[in-house]
Amino acid sequence: MKVVGITSCPSGVAHTYMAAEALKLSGEKLGMEVLIETQGGAGVENQLKQKDIDEAVCVVLVNDVALEGLDRFKGKKSPENGRVRPD
C-alpha cells in the first residue's frame, strides 16, 4: 500500500522535516510505502511524481501554511477532509 503526502510549517524548518520523518517511520511499522514531499524553508524537496500520486490510496497533508500544487491530488482521498479539493 502506498501513501503520499506533503508537510509544511510556517518557518519551514524543523517541524516540516520532523513530521515527514514521523510519517515515514509510522508507515514502515505498518508495512506501508510512504512518500513525503516537503515544502519548507529550502523550497519544495522530494517532489512527488505523478505516478506515485496516482498509485497512492490516499494523500496526507500536514500543514500550517498554504501548500503549492494541490491540483495534483484532485480526487484523492485524504484523512483530513475526505477528498482533496484544490483552492
Side-chain angles (χ1 to χ4, degrees):
M1 180 182 307
K2 184 183 288 189
V3 173
V4 297
I6 300 177
T7 60
S8 185
C9 69
S11 64
V13 186
H15 294 109
T16 297
Y17 302 101
M18 289 168 53
E21 186 64 20
L23 288 167
K24 290 178 194 175
L25 291 173
S26 294
E28 284 179 21
K29 289 179 183 177
L30 296 170
M32 300 166 58
E33 181 180 6
V34 178
L35 303 172
I36 302 295
E37 172 179 308
T38 57
Q39 295 185 10
V44 175
E45 295 179 288
N46 304 311
Q47 186 167 11
L48 296 166
K49 296 180 177 105
Q50 192 60 49
K51 179 181 184 295
D52 291 319
I53 294 169
D54 293 343
E55 292 173 352
V57 295
C58 71
V59 58
V60 177
L61 304 175
V62 181
N63 63 298
D64 290 324
V65 295
L67 297 172
E68 297 177 20
L70 288 181
D71 55 321
R72 300 174 287 162
F73 305 108
K74 187 172 184 173
K76 295 301 279 186
K77 291 183 179 179
S78 175
E80 289 82 18
N81 61 12
R83 293 216 178 260
V84 175
R85 292 181 183 90
D87 296 334

